[in-house]
Amino acid sequence: MAAEDPRPLGNAAIAKRLASLAQLMAIRKENPFKVRAYRRAAARIRSVAESLEQMVHDGGDLTRFAGVGEGVAAAIREIVLTGSLAKLERLREESPTGAAGIGDYPRLDLRRVLRVYKKLGIDSIEELRERLESGAIERQFGARMAQHIAQGIDEPRAMLLYHADALQAALEAFILDDAAVKRVEAAGAWRRRVEIVEDLVFLVETDDFPALARRVQRFGGDTPLVAQASGRATFKLAAGILLHLCHEDPAHWGLGLIRCTGSGPHLRKLHAITGSFRELAASPESFADEAAVYARFNLDYIEPELREGRDEIERAGSHSLPTLVTAADIMGELHAHSTSSDGAHSIQDMAGAARDRGYRYLGMTDHSQSLKIARGVSVADLWAQIRFIDNLNERLADFRILKSSEVDILEDGSLDYPDDLLAELDYTVCSIHSRFGLGRDAQTERILRAMDNKHFNILGHATGRLLLKRPGYEIDIGRLVDHAKQAGCFFEINSSPDRLDLSAEYARIAALAGVKIAVSTDAHSTREFPLIRCGIDQARRAGLEKSSVINCLPWEDLARLFRRA
DNA sequence: GCCGTTTTCGGCCCGACTGTTTTCAGTCG
């Protein structure tokens, strides 16, 4: 016993075993739903605050975690009680050379890796890494494959803000549970609402910081401490991102919160005005909150979403910061799908849910005819849908369903419906769903041509990016913004947590040029309307005011904007 | 293996398009 590693069995280690099992089962082409179940469970476990090991010893109910049923619970118990998982060990032994190694890299797609193995005549992750670094994989298999391997071979170091929200809440509750902790506030990129975060930062006030640092190491069973200094500690979370704790006393809370919130560029510009925070902290003045710090230097309070080191400090000095748009300003939804195409709920149900949120209108933007996989609506069916919505609207008071479509922009820049049909719609959202590989110039030309159609109103998810998955096609945002401005077109901030497209940077460029933006959810079910908050976060990071967001307008005003000459 | 306003079974996106890794696997929502 004495020689054994005293480290507790963390949830990350348990999740890793389950993910490896899934990977090896996939190699053997076992039931793909079973494989997915193990993968899902592993992912869920990585953000659980309690120690699963402890729960097993205490006889706790593991199945209360979504995605963990009797089967996975039994596997977790086996891992905790015996230190291994018999099925995993067996599959490892039975797996062909090379395949077993892939089991340790659950983010690698097996079929792709095995193809690379075969073609290059290799059979280990080490050789795979070598070929990746030498550029052999990119040369022989292309950039996409190289990117996939690079992503899968390294530990994840970032997560979507949307997923980080739950982890942040779990951590905050865990920290507050410490009796010595008097106050805790989340800072960092999470507070600035950056769409992808690589760490979570908490500012804490406590009587015993070292004790808190010890306690946090038990989050999720085992959260290793990777660095420590006076009043600061850094941990590696099971989800792959880092956790920073910073101690601060009440008199300097505002200074600490600004410092921990960042960003680096914001702080550098700020320090040029304020001098070092260290000296401020040494002065007898109190900086109990952030506003006090900014005010001391005649700066207005700067919302965290704006702290990226652009022009926010100058504007705070000239008292001309924007009044950022909020979710409460949104009057309606302009991008949503129903069962007419690939949505989960009927037009009536979607409208009911939108109305329950207090919206005044909902645009039904089902996919257009070319997008077969999403059950794109045929010309005849869209005519029928137009009449159907007209009928519904006659029976609705104080709410309007807008006749629309998410119209595919075809490869030649034409729109996916004839003009006489488009003319019957209240407005259109036009998007690219195919031929992502055209290249920057061709893609830009394609969209410019589409904008020349007078029935084009809003450009949907302008770059097609999927965060942490796919970079999106390149566009010349400057040309598109100019053209949109001239033609009277608008952009969209798509609120899907893995899109958030336009980016804050592009949205800012559009808004500065006077091109207004729709903040939309792209909801495929009634449950997705609340995702608007993710798009609002992005809009705020772009510095957008209510006046720059078209769906902050009542429909009557919006209708005028959509009528192009 | 998980799940349930479809609840103890039967689903769990899927199917057309694309193209060079070339006739199947990757990709799009």
Side-chain angles (χ1 to χ4, degrees):
Chain A
M1 269 315 263
E4 264 181 36
D5 185 354
R7 276 220 96 84
L9 178 66
N11 298 350
I14 295 171
K16 193 167 181 190
R17 286 211 170 86
L18 296 178
S20 293
L21 177 61
Q23 194 73 315
L24 294 180
M25 284 167 66
I27 294 181
R28 292 159 61 101
K29 298 193 197 307
E30 290 192 27
N31 182 346
F33 297 111
K34 224 183 253 197
V35 172
R36 197 191 304 162
Y38 277 112
R39 287 203 174 123
R40 248 199 332 250
R44 175 69 186 94
I45 285 170
R46 286 197 181 93
S47 54
V48 165
E50 295 100 313
S51 162
L52 295 181
E53 182 188 35
Q54 196 60 48
M55 282 183 75
V56 167
H57 289 310
D58 296 346
D61 177 21
L62 299 168
T63 64
R64 71 183 169 84
F65 301 114
V68 178
E70 279 310 320
V72 172
I76 293 172
R77 278 195 295 271
E78 187 187 337
I79 293 167
V80 169
L81 297 175
T82 72
S84 74
L85 187 57
K87 180 163 184 188
L88 174 62
E89 300 311 321
R90 198 182 75 240
L91 294 192
R92 275 204 176 122
E93 281 168 23
E94 292 172 3
S95 294
T97 324
I102 305 174
D104 292 332
Y105 296 84
R107 285 152 25 101
L108 280 177
D109 180 73
L110 286 165
R111 285 176 307 175
R112 288 203 249 185
V113 174
L114 290 176
R115 214 164 79 233
V116 173
Y117 275 15
K118 197 169 161 190
K119 189 117 181 174
L120 298 180
I122 60 174
D123 65 0
S124 75
I125 293 289
E126 291 67 37
E127 289 169 298
L128 186 66
R129 191 187 295 276
E130 234 168 67
R131 305 300 169 97
L132 178 72
E133 283 163 7
S134 75
I137 291 184
E138 172 147 13
R139 275 195 305 280
Q140 268 191 280
F141 300 92
R144 273 201 128 115
M145 176 70 96
Q147 194 200 1
H148 168 73
I149 306 266
Q151 269 182 5
I153 218 165
D154 284 321
E155 300 261 309
R157 292 196 182 86
M159 72 193 296
L160 292 181
L161 176 65
Y162 176 71
H163 290 141
D165 282 345
L167 187 53
Q168 182 276 335
L171 273 162
E172 186 170 313
F174 188 89
I175 293 168
L176 271 177
D177 215 28
D178 186 318
V181 171
K182 295 175 173 158
R183 187 175 178 188
V184 58
E185 205 163 344
W190 178 85
R191 182 163 178 244
R192 301 198 315 276
R193 307 311 285 159
V194 180
E195 63 266 42
I196 292 172
V197 297
E198 296 180 354
D199 51 27
L200 288 172
V201 186
F202 289 91
L203 194 66
V204 290
E205 180 195 342
T206 171
D207 292 335
D208 193 346
F209 188 77
L212 176 64
R214 282 194 300 278
R215 187 179 133 72
V216 166
Q217 288 180 72
R218 298 202 302 274
F219 180 81
D222 181 33
T223 295
L225 180 75
V226 295
Q228 195 169 20
S230 153
R232 317 199 69 167
T234 299
F235 308 82
K236 187 160 177 6
L237 291 163
I241 65 172
L242 295 175
L243 163 67
H244 302 286
L245 296 184
C246 309
H247 181 256
E248 191 55 86
D249 57 69
H252 301 122
W253 191 264
L255 287 172
L257 195 53
I258 290 177
R259 190 186 63 241
C260 288
T261 298
S263 65
H266 174 80
L267 293 179
R268 274 193 292 281
K269 286 193 169 183
L270 187 61
H271 290 329
I273 294 172
T274 64
S276 90
F277 275 17
R278 195 179 306 243
E279 282 172 31
L280 286 181
S283 78
E285 282 180 87
S286 168
F287 294 100
D289 60 35
E290 292 181 320
V293 180
Y294 288 117
R296 163 76 173 71
F297 296 94
N298 197 28
L299 299 171
D300 288 344
Y301 173 77
I302 301 173
E303 300 280 1
E305 294 95 319
L306 291 177
R307 300 184 199 170
E308 296 297 337
R310 295 188 178 106
D311 60 356
E312 71 274 10
I313 291 181
E314 292 86 329
R315 293 183 69 174
S318 60
H319 311 295
S320 60
L321 281 169
T323 304
L324 299 180
V325 64
T326 71
D329 295 324
I330 296 292
M331 295 201 71
E333 170 65 56
L334 290 171
H335 188 164
H337 299 265
S338 74
T339 45
S340 297
S341 62
D342 60 348
H345 296 112
S346 69
I347 293 173
Q348 297 97 308
D349 288 348
M350 292 296 279
R355 193 149 104 156
D356 289 346
R357 286 183 63 78
Y359 288 167
R360 305 298 300 277
Y361 52 87
L362 165 70
M364 286 313 318
T365 53
D366 280 302
H367 287 290
S368 62
Q369 53 184 343
S370 288
L371 203 64
K372 306 286 188 208
I373 182 165
R375 298 197 301 277
V377 180
S378 70
V379 168
D381 286 349
L382 187 55
W383 278 111
Q385 179 153 319
I386 287 169
R387 287 189 293 269
F388 180 69
I389 291 176
D390 280 339
N391 280 327
L392 286 177
N393 276 332
E394 279 176 23
R395 298 199 298 273
L396 286 172
D398 298 331
F399 190 84
R400 188 183 172 106
I401 304 172
L402 308 178
K403 296 166 285 186
S404 185
S405 169
E406 183 177 11
V407 187
D408 261 58
I409 299 172
L410 303 179
E411 185 174 1
D412 63 358
S414 60
L415 301 185
D416 196 22
Y417 285 126
D419 284 351
D420 65 327
L421 176 50
L422 293 174
E424 293 299 313
L425 299 173
D426 289 317
Y427 72 98
T428 60
V429 175
C430 301
S431 310
I432 283 181
H433 292 121
S434 61
R435 304 303 311 272
F436 278 32
L438 282 186
R440 178 180 154 108
D441 289 343
Q443 209 66 279
T444 302
E445 290 294 337
R446 177 186 186 182
I447 300 170
L448 291 177
R449 275 197 298 276
M451 284 179 173
D452 285 336
N453 185 316
K454 69 171 183 172
H455 302 299
F456 183 117
N457 294 119
I458 301 169
L459 177 63
H461 46 70
T463 75
R465 73 175 182 178
L466 290 180
L467 296 168
L468 299 176
K469 264 190 227 146
R470 177 177 87 192
Y473 43 82
E474 284 187 60
I475 52 172
D476 184 335
I477 188 69
R479 287 185 70 197
L480 291 181
V481 165
D482 286 347
H483 207 72
K485 172 82 180 163
Q486 244 175 7
C489 302
F490 307 97
F491 286 88
E492 170 187 89
I493 289 179
N494 188 296
S495 304
S496 304
D498 62 347
R499 285 193 184 272
L500 296 173
D501 182 13
L502 296 179
S503 63
E505 186 196 348
Y506 281 4
R508 187 179 150 86
I509 293 171
L512 284 176
V515 175
K516 293 181 199 285
I517 289 173
V519 181
S520 304
T521 60
D522 201 353
H524 281 66
S525 83
T526 55
R527 293 180 299 270
E528 290 173 24
F529 288 126
L531 293 178
I532 191 74
R533 67 181 168 83
C534 305
I536 290 290
D537 283 341
Q538 192 80 348
R540 291 169 62 88
R541 293 188 63 228
L544 299 194
E545 302 198 284
K546 179 181 172 178
S547 60
S548 294
V549 177
I550 57 174
N551 47 324
C552 292
L553 291 171
W555 166 243
E556 295 70 29
D557 297 344
L558 196 47
R560 273 194 291 278
L561 285 185
F562 285 152
R563 227 169 288 135
R564 286 177 55 183

